[in-house]
Amino acid sequence: MSNIHPVESLWESGLSKNNYAIDILPSKVVDAVLIPYLYCSQPDSEVQIHWKGAAEIVLSSCTSYVDTNGHVIPMDEDKVAEFKKAIEDMASTSLRCVAIAYRSYKMENVPTDDEELAHWKIPDNDLALLAIVGLKDPCRPGVKDAVQLCTKSGVKVRMVTGDNLQTARAIALECGILGSDADATEPNLIEGKVFRALSEGERLEIADKISVMGRSSPNDKLLLVQALRKRGHVVAVTGDGTNDAPALHEADIGLAMGIQGTEVAKESSDIIILDDNFASVVKVVRWGRSVYANIQKFIQFQLTVNVAALVINVVAAVSSGDVPLNAVQLLWVNLIMDTLGALALATEPPTDHLMDRTPVGRREPLITNIMWRNLMIQAIYQVTVLLILNFKGTSILHLKHLPPDRATKMKNTFIFNAFVLCQVFNEFNARKPDEINVFKGVTKNYLFMGIVGLTLVLQVIIIVFLGKFTSTVRLSWKLWLVSIGIALMSWPLAIIGKLITVPETPFSEYLKRIFCRRRTSRGELNGRRNGTTTELT
């Protein structure tokens, strides 16, 4: 394979002493794969228009070829078949095929000013084939593993390229986008012009099945993105060129290349990949899922605290007119929940377990059935135990020998202490909502361990030294052990709870169905009263 130099480089370097370039026309692009060059062999004589681009398209415009001796030979059908076979052979080995051709043109017919040049239709017929070049663009190390990891995590990787369909097929097999030759059939493997010619309904029907689209234009990529979004998919698009901007803008997540990407592509994207490596997309998925999972962990923890505190105080206030948790104590609980809890749970680093989950749908609820299960188990346990202590705590804790005021303060302090320790222990459960081992990797998260330790130290200080401020009294070591025991029970309860399977259909869907049934029944009843039948859909 010889090096191919631009025309102006040959002229400026003196490799062609008797020839000179008139103009280079990179802005004139035909079918997004052909680029013409003007080249004059002698002043005031014929102009040579050179074309380079997709091999099969350039070949289709050629009527002759230049042999090894430099003679122009007419192209017959056998020679065309030979060249096509060479293109297919190179494409099947993932080589990108580029053909170079030219034709002569009279100098007097070439436009002389910019306005005429802008409207000039450059002749692209009767070309003489100069060369067919196969360019190898090997996949980067780690790309195949990244594609496999994306597939494992439920992210379907699709390749939309301007390359020859056979080249695209070979590259897709090399990268793992296509599993085997059996997958390399339509509609998994489709050409851009075929997809473009389909109606909107047909595009929506086959969009899910497409894995590789070859010889595509930027508009084909945009049409595919629009079809996938209409099907309800969350679509991420990678691109680096100006022509990719519409698809990057249309996608839910646009990822532009930081090194080779144009400014237009970067401005149209949401994320810029600094190293231009597809393997970095896996990091984007991992961190995106980590942020979403951490938000869910915090919401589960926060709702558990809110539900338990609300029910305990409301029930106690309605039944006895007194609340076990006063305003200052609730302020401390709120600090644990909103500030320290958020810092502890929101800083959990991403794990490999996140990549085993299926992607979250566009309309899936933020609070999942698993979260509702965990939340209800912990909230019911805390409410039950602490309400029993509120009503029967004096006798259960053997405080009857104390004066009534002292016994009530001791009981309320114990309830407050047990409630706070329950939240601290439940913070570990919130780390792994769907895993049995909630301690996995906990020692590597120094911030989490530090916040838990700080919360415990502050709780001891509040109970022991800040009694006047928080309306608490000091507890004996036995009551401290009982408080820890009550809080410790949240761990085995969480393990038992995670053995309970929950339906995949969100609880909100069941509520909608119940509501719709009631509306339907009410409508039918009204219809019978009015002597008509009413249908509600």
Side-chain angles (χ1 to χ4, degrees):
M1 184 189 304
S2 60
N3 293 326
I4 305 300
H5 298 277
V7 175
E8 73 272 23
S9 298
L10 292 172
W11 174 45
E12 291 173 359
S13 62
L15 294 177
S16 183
K17 298 289 186 180
N18 299 321
N19 303 324
Y20 66 94
I22 292 181
D23 199 2
I24 308 297
L25 302 172
S27 60
K28 290 281 186 178
V29 181
V30 180
D31 292 336
V33 288
L34 299 180
I35 301 179
Y37 295 80
L38 290 184
Y39 182 57
C40 185
S41 58
Q42 292 293 336
D44 301 325
S45 65
E46 288 187 336
V47 171
Q48 289 182 349
I49 302 175
H50 288 253
W51 290 87
K52 71 172 182 180
E56 70 273 17
I57 295 178
V58 173
L59 180 62
S60 65
S61 299
C62 292
T63 56
S64 59
Y65 68 95
V66 178
D67 64 8
T68 54
N69 298 319
H71 300 142
V72 178
I73 310 297
M75 187 93 69
D76 55 22
E77 292 184 1
D78 293 337
K79 206 64 182 176
V80 171
E82 180 183 339
F83 288 138
K84 285 184 177 180
K85 180 67 167 56
I87 293 171
E88 290 176 359
D89 290 342
M90 286 190 286
S92 63
T93 56
S94 71
L95 292 177
R96 291 179 170 174
C97 301
V98 177
I100 304 169
Y102 82 99
R103 66 157 292 167
S104 298
Y105 199 69
K106 290 184 178 181
M107 182 68 179
E108 60 191 29
N109 294 331
V110 177
T112 56
D113 57 59
D114 293 339
E115 185 177 352
E116 292 180 357
L117 189 63
H119 296 89
W120 180 40
K121 178 173 173 49
I122 304 175
D124 58 356
N125 58 338
D126 296 332
L127 303 182
L129 183 65
L130 289 172
I132 297 175
V133 183
L135 305 175
K136 180 65 175 178
D137 187 10
C139 292
R140 293 191 180 190
V143 169
K144 187 171 184 178
D145 293 337
V147 170
Q148 290 176 347
L149 191 56
C150 284
T151 304
K152 177 184 174 184
S153 62
V155 178
K156 182 176 176 64
V157 180
R158 309 170 197 267
M159 184 172 73
V160 181
T161 176
D163 290 333
N164 177 291
L165 198 61
Q166 295 303 316
T167 304
R169 170 184 169 278
I171 294 174
L173 288 169
E174 184 180 350
C175 295
I177 296 174
L178 292 175
S180 62
D181 289 330
D183 297 330
T185 56
E186 206 172 305
N188 284 348
L189 183 68
I190 193 171
E191 199 167 3
K193 64 181 181 182
V194 175
F195 181 74
R196 192 186 320 139
L198 298 174
S199 65
E200 183 177 354
E202 291 172 330
R203 286 198 293 267
L204 288 175
E205 186 177 346
I206 71 164
D208 282 346
K209 303 175 184 177
I210 295 175
S211 295
V212 178
M213 185 184 295
R215 198 59 80 202
S216 64
S217 67
N219 190 54
D220 297 332
K221 181 185 285 191
L222 178 62
L223 290 174
L224 180 60
V225 171
Q226 291 173 339
L228 289 171
R229 293 195 70 201
K230 288 179 181 178
R231 295 280 294 181
H233 295 288
V234 178
V235 183
V237 172
T238 60
D240 56 6
T242 301
N243 291 334
D244 293 324
L248 289 169
H249 181 73
E250 178 71 19
D252 295 288
I253 305 167
L255 300 113
M257 301 296 123
I259 300 174
Q260 296 183 350
T262 62
E263 288 302 319
V264 175
K266 292 177 183 178
E267 290 175 3
S268 301
S269 65
D270 303 294
I271 300 172
I272 298 175
I273 301 176
L274 298 178
D275 58 359
D276 285 14
N277 195 341
F278 180 78
S280 297
V281 175
V282 176
K283 297 179 183 178
V284 173
V285 174
R286 187 192 299 268
W287 276 100
R289 292 188 176 188
S290 178
V291 171
Y292 186 82
N294 288 345
I295 292 172
Q296 288 183 314
K297 293 172 187 178
F298 173 66
I299 289 176
Q300 176 184 309
F301 175 69
Q302 188 180 46
L303 286 178
T304 304
V305 179
N306 279 335
V307 170
L310 180 65
V311 173
I312 290 168
N313 268 10
V314 168
V315 173
V318 170
S319 59
S320 62
D322 190 19
V323 292
L325 302 174
N326 60 41
V328 177
Q329 293 168 356
L330 287 175
L331 183 63
W332 166 235
V333 171
N334 194 59
L335 182 63
I336 296 174
M337 177 182 64
D338 287 342
T339 306
L340 299 179
L343 282 174
L345 295 173
T347 55
E348 282 286 322
T351 61
D352 294 334
H353 175 69
L354 293 171
M355 301 304 290
D356 295 331
R357 298 181 179 179
T358 55
V360 178
R362 191 187 300 275
R363 299 187 180 276
E364 287 188 24
L366 182 61
I367 305 176
T368 63
N369 289 358
I370 291 176
M371 293 170 63
W372 281 119
R373 178 197 64 193
N374 298 340
L375 186 156
M376 295 305 296
I377 289 173
Q378 295 297 328
I380 290 172
Y381 168 69
Q382 292 178 21
V383 168
T384 303
V385 172
L386 297 181
L387 281 180
I388 290 173
L389 289 172
N390 183 65
F391 295 115
K392 300 293 183 179
T394 305
S395 58
I396 293 174
L397 301 175
H398 305 291
L399 303 176
K400 288 185 176 181
H401 64 283
L402 297 175
D405 291 344
R406 177 72 176 176
T408 301
K409 279 191 175 182
M410 186 76 72
K411 179 194 69 175
N412 289 345
T413 301
F414 179 82
I415 292 174
F416 167 62
N417 193 47
F419 182 72
V420 170
L421 291 180
C422 279
Q423 310 321 316
V424 173
F425 280 67
N426 190 40
E427 211 162 348
F428 286 87
N429 294 329
R431 289 185 66 248
K432 307 286 183 181
D434 54 349
E435 293 184 51
I436 299 294
N437 185 9
V438 297
F439 304 105
K440 185 178 179 181
V442 69
T443 55
K444 296 179 181 178
N445 191 343
Y446 300 113
L447 184 58
F448 181 88
M449 296 299 294
I451 288 174
V452 170
L454 177 64
T455 304
L456 291 173
V457 169
L458 291 176
Q459 180 64 15
V460 172
I461 292 173
I462 287 172
I463 298 297
V464 177
F465 301 107
L466 300 178
K468 290 184 179 181
F469 179 66
T470 57
S471 300
T472 57
V473 295
R474 293 189 179 187
L475 299 175
S476 64
W477 63 271
K478 291 182 181 180
L479 293 181
W480 271 99
L481 289 178
V482 175
S483 300
I484 294 172
I486 291 173
L488 194 62
M489 282 299 296
S490 64
W491 288 346
L493 273 175
I495 294 174
I496 295 171
K498 288 170 184 175
L499 298 177
I500 302 172
T501 57
V502 293
E504 294 184 2
T505 305
F507 289 145
S508 58
E509 291 295 325
Y510 290 110
L511 295 176
K512 287 180 182 178
R513 291 174 187 175
I514 294 172
F515 181 71
C516 288
R517 285 174 187 171
R518 288 184 177 179
R519 286 185 60 191
T520 303
S521 300
R522 192 176 299 169
E524 290 176 353
L525 181 60
N526 292 335
R528 288 171 185 171
R529 288 176 179 174
N530 298 329
T532 59
T533 301
T534 304
E535 290 187 3
L536 295 179
T537 58

